[in-house]
Amino acid sequence: GELETESRLIEGDVIVNSTGTGTLGRAGILTSTALGRSSVPVADGHVTVLRVDERQVAAEFLGYLLGTEAFRRLANECLAVGSTSQMELGRDQLRTLGILVPPLPEQRRIVTILNCEIARIEELKAELDRNQRLLTEYRKALITAAVTGQMDLNRNVA
């Protein structure tokens, strides 16, 4: 059958994990990259989907804001309902939660800065991963050369 329109996810949706001890309140924004992985992305009952009025709130800003540790703490300490064995995000509590945000131009400026800095961090992480692989390869080659007699072991190693 045809999927319900409400369950279909679209780019810019802010997704909040709605169930689970330890994972309740994790949030992020659905990007075009993530959408490309699934032909029909849909939400299930374990997530809460937030769609913003882009005239008032930048979706990326809300994604960053709700992705903070401060929001996770708020979700777990103030918005959670249910027993300790299966906590759930109180959707009514979330719906009525007042969040102060800066004016839209400032939100967009913050998002631009964060996107640039995060891209820089990702580049540095990739460089670190490359260096780690090279060091691992060098270590293996060094050990192989030493134990197979291909390395001058009489040189001064200090």
Side-chain angles (χ1 to χ4, degrees):
E2 187 65 26
L3 292 169
E4 294 293 322
T5 307
E6 292 81 27
S7 65
R8 287 187 184 195
L9 298 173
I10 60 172
E11 184 175 1
D13 281 349
V14 177
I15 314 286
V16 181
N17 191 358
S18 303
T19 60
T21 304
T23 60
L24 180 75
R26 283 194 309 187
I29 188 163
L30 189 61
T31 63
S32 57
T33 305
L35 279 170
R37 295 184 192 142
S38 175
S39 56
V40 183
V42 294
D44 64 15
H46 298 287
V47 297
T48 299
V49 179
L50 304 172
R51 287 196 180 134
V52 300
D53 178 349
E54 286 278 351
R55 296 170 296 179
Q56 297 178 17
V57 178
E60 279 187 284
F61 180 84
L62 185 63
Y64 280 130
L65 179 65
L66 298 187
T68 63
E69 186 59 32
F71 176 74
R72 281 193 65 197
R73 276 196 313 277
L74 175 73
N76 282 276
E77 295 170 9
C78 302
L79 304 177
V81 295
S83 68
T84 55
S85 63
Q86 187 57 37
M87 299 300 289
E88 292 188 14
L89 183 66
R91 287 182 174 91
D92 289 335
Q93 289 89 333
L94 181 60
R95 188 176 289 113
T96 59
L97 179 67
I99 299 176
L100 294 175
V101 295
L104 193 56
E106 181 67 5
Q107 292 175 46
R108 290 186 178 133
R109 188 177 82 77
I110 291 168
V111 165
T112 299
I113 291 167
L114 287 173
N115 286 345
C116 288
E117 289 301 309
I118 289 170
R120 222 173 118 237
I121 290 168
E122 292 303 319
E123 288 173 12
L124 290 170
K125 281 175 59 179
E127 186 177 328
L128 283 171
D129 289 344
R130 281 190 301 275
N131 287 337
Q132 181 66 44
R133 283 192 304 275
L134 287 172
L135 285 170
T136 299
E137 289 173 23
Y138 175 66
R139 179 180 185 273
K140 289 177 184 177
L142 183 65
I143 292 169
T144 299
V147 299
T148 60
Q150 299 172 13
M151 182 175 147
D152 179 8
L153 298 175
N154 294 321
R155 71 180 189 182
N156 187 6
V157 180

